[in-house]
Amino acid sequence: MCKMHRMLMDNTLYIPAKLLTIIGALNWGLVGLLNFNLVAAIFGKKSILSRLVYILVGLAGVYIVIKYKATYLAKREAKKGKRQYSGKQYSWSGIQ
């Protein structure tokens, strides 16, 4: 398992957010391919439960994006101090 994935999984909200995001993606895939809305079929077209599922899926997507951005920025900051040099040294004295 990669280091970034472990950092993301440290938070207890990550797994439910990931599952909700997958459910939302599958639902949108069914809507696009077959014009079938699975959430509306299970909970009803205009029910409060279906609206709640849509809200939770949206919040989960926002949460995943924020967590990914935070870990990406942290990883970038950690790399910033670690410069690797090739060992080549350049001098202005040899240029005519």
Side-chain angles (χ1 to χ4, degrees):
M1 190 175 344
C2 71
K3 190 175 182 180
M4 181 179 285
H5 193 67
R6 253 184 269 123
M7 286 173 55
L8 283 172
M9 288 186 64
D10 287 343
N11 201 330
T12 57
L13 290 176
Y14 178 72
I15 293 175
K18 194 170 184 180
L19 288 174
L20 281 169
T21 306
I22 291 169
I23 290 169
L26 291 174
N27 189 48
W28 276 110
L30 286 172
V31 169
L33 288 173
L34 306 173
N35 199 17
F36 177 71
N37 191 340
L38 183 64
V39 174
I42 292 172
F43 297 113
K45 206 169 194 176
K46 301 267 183 177
S47 73
I48 293 174
L49 285 176
S50 64
R51 288 181 55 95
L52 181 65
V53 169
Y54 293 136
I55 290 169
L56 289 175
V57 167
L59 289 174
V62 170
Y63 176 78
I64 294 290
V65 168
I66 290 171
K67 286 297 284 183
Y68 182 78
K69 185 176 180 182
T71 54
Y72 173 76
L73 290 176
K75 185 177 176 182
R76 199 168 118 198
E77 286 297 319
K79 265 189 172 180
K80 200 179 263 189
K82 297 179 184 176
R83 301 247 184 228
Q84 293 182 354
Y85 296 103
S86 64
K88 296 178 182 176
Q89 294 183 0
Y90 298 100
S91 163
W92 287 99
S93 62
I95 298 175
Q96 296 290 332

